[in-house]
Amino acid sequence: MVRFLSTSISVCFMARGLGPAQADAVAALFGQVVRDEGLHYEVALARNNNEDGTVDVGVSSPEPVSFSRFYSWRESFEERLQDQIAELAAGATVSFEWGFPDQEAEQASAAAAVPVSVPGDWAEFTPRLATVLIGMPEGAVVTLAAGANQCLQFLQGWICSVGGSMTPEQERLLVAAGWHPPVDSAELALRIPDR
């Protein structure tokens, strides 16, 4: 017996920049496609009239959908749907935005499992911090407290700031480590480069 593992996927695909008649045709196509794929109870069809007169039509799932063999299905599904949209609405922009909540949860769990012992120095601290930041889910904030009036926050996008009162020596050490001194606020800031 062959068994296929299933995975949870957030479904979202869209056609943008359509004329009103094209939008009607694409909406009908999307309705047929989700019925044919057995997704009609899992997804919602939406239509947005833009200020420039164009229309966007999309399909999204309010909750993740369980798929078996998603990775083998995905490529042919995307290719087939793009071809069908091109026949109905030449020049439309088509996008597929698949979400992977199972993988995102595993990454967050792995990040949370980083050892919590206090590092001895900056050289030991930075690779451990990078491990946590890489696994941060969208919108996450990591805050490190360093006493009653000091904290360090890492926001999605790898922008960091230090708040609270510091001695001139502490500020000098942070600037020497690549932090930027305060310009329009009392906080030092660091933009961690892409890796």
Side-chain angles (χ1 to χ4, degrees):
M1 173 192 293
V2 176
R3 291 186 181 222
F4 298 103
L5 296 177
S6 65
T7 186
S8 294
I9 304 294
S10 296
V11 175
C12 181
F13 51 91
M14 183 171 275
R16 293 183 172 90
L18 305 168
Q22 292 173 328
D24 292 341
V26 169
L29 170 66
F30 283 179
Q32 185 62 49
V33 165
V34 298
R35 280 188 299 279
D36 292 349
E37 296 295 335
L39 297 171
H40 53 289
Y41 294 117
E42 308 286 342
V43 299
L45 179 68
R47 182 180 178 133
N48 182 52
N49 296 316
N50 301 312
E51 289 181 13
D52 65 359
T54 62
V55 181
D56 300 338
V57 177
V59 170
S60 63
S61 59
E63 298 292 327
V65 177
S66 182
F67 280 88
S68 292
R69 304 184 72 190
F70 172 76
Y71 296 99
S72 61
W73 169 85
R74 174 185 179 177
E75 187 175 334
S76 64
F77 174 79
E78 289 180 0
E79 186 177 306
R80 190 173 59 249
L81 190 58
Q82 285 176 330
D83 290 344
Q84 292 172 315
I85 292 169
E87 288 178 20
L88 296 173
T93 303
V94 181
S95 64
F96 297 89
E97 300 171 20
W98 308 106
F100 303 90
D102 290 343
Q103 290 176 1
E104 293 161 6
E106 287 175 15
Q107 289 172 346
S109 177
V114 173
V116 293
S117 62
V118 177
D121 61 15
W122 186 254
E124 183 184 344
F125 173 71
T126 53
R128 289 173 54 185
L129 178 62
T131 300
V132 171
L133 295 177
I134 287 168
M136 285 175 61
E138 186 172 335
V141 176
V142 172
T143 302
L144 305 173
N149 293 326
Q150 294 180 333
C151 74
L152 177 64
Q153 284 193 327
F154 294 87
L155 310 168
Q156 173 131 24
W158 300 61
I159 298 172
C160 314
S161 64
V162 177
S165 57
M166 287 177 276
T167 66
E169 177 62 13
Q170 289 171 323
E171 283 192 29
R172 186 191 68 71
L173 289 171
L174 285 171
V175 170
W179 292 71
H180 301 284
V183 176
D184 57 355
S185 74
E187 298 180 348
L188 277 86
L190 173 68
R191 173 105 181 138
I192 299 176
D194 294 334
R195 299 194 187 274

